[in-house]
Amino acid sequence: MSIDIIITIILSSLSILLILTEIFLLPGITFAGIAGAIFSAGSIYYAYSHLGTLGGNITVAASVITLGVLFIWLVRSRTIDKISLNTDIDSKVETDHLDQIKEGDEGIAISRLNPVGKVKINNVFAEAKALTGFIDDGATVIVVKKLSNQVLVKIKS
């Protein structure tokens, strides 16, 4: 009977370890997550079949509580922060050149707008988005709206 308890504890511990590894260290669904689920199901099945209903219920409750406590502890602790990627992007794209462009200005499509491409308006090169359809390079375009980092254009008819 005591060897059955040891086997159940080992299987449950492995399942918890693999599940926590899957959650905190490995992105996506990997071998660790699948193996953790298999070990978890195996430990519960083994407990019910060898230790009876009471042993199985205790195994399920102990596994859920242990997994929950360890999960909360790992989330709140700074242990994960030491191995996590914590980079902040504080730079931004300069869009001062777009100040020279106003709605209604005309320009030329430098590249095909499919629907996004490059245009030259008032001797300024900018990223543009075609309002409807595609615009071939070399076509004359009119600025419909100026956004923060690009302009919306339509073909001059």
Side-chain angles (χ1 to χ4, degrees):
M1 177 77 126
S2 64
I3 192 73
D4 293 331
I5 294 172
I6 293 171
I7 291 171
T8 304
I9 291 172
I10 290 172
L11 289 174
S12 294
S13 299
L14 280 173
S15 72
I16 291 170
L17 177 70
L18 289 169
I19 290 170
L20 290 175
T21 301
E22 173 73 22
I23 292 171
F24 289 106
L25 298 178
L26 303 173
I29 297 175
T30 63
F31 176 74
I34 295 168
I38 291 170
F39 275 113
S40 180
S43 69
I44 293 169
Y45 175 77
Y46 190 86
Y48 275 111
S49 64
H50 289 83
L51 300 175
T53 305
L54 180 61
N57 290 340
I58 291 172
T59 301
V60 170
S63 295
V64 169
I65 290 170
T66 305
L67 181 63
V69 167
L70 287 175
F71 179 82
I72 291 170
W73 177 73
L74 282 172
V75 168
R76 290 187 179 192
S77 75
R78 299 291 174 214
T79 306
I80 296 300
D81 291 343
K82 293 177 185 175
I83 60 173
S84 297
L85 179 62
N86 292 323
T87 53
D88 294 329
I89 299 173
D90 55 0
S91 62
K92 62 179 184 176
V93 176
E94 295 295 328
T95 57
D96 295 340
H97 64 283
L98 293 180
D99 293 339
Q100 299 174 13
I101 300 173
K102 296 182 278 314
E103 292 181 12
D105 287 348
E106 290 186 13
I108 297 173
I110 301 300
S111 67
R112 183 168 192 236
L113 277 65
N114 188 18
V116 177
K118 292 283 184 186
V119 294
K120 183 179 179 184
I121 302 169
N122 299 336
N123 289 326
V124 175
F125 292 94
E127 183 175 285
K129 182 176 183 180
L131 194 60
T132 58
F134 304 120
I135 299 175
D136 288 325
D137 57 336
T140 304
V141 294
I142 300 174
V143 177
V144 176
K145 184 175 183 181
K146 186 171 79 168
L147 302 174
S148 63
N149 61 346
Q150 67 179 341
V151 291
L152 293 177
V153 295
K154 67 177 182 178
I155 193 160
K156 183 178 179 183
S157 48

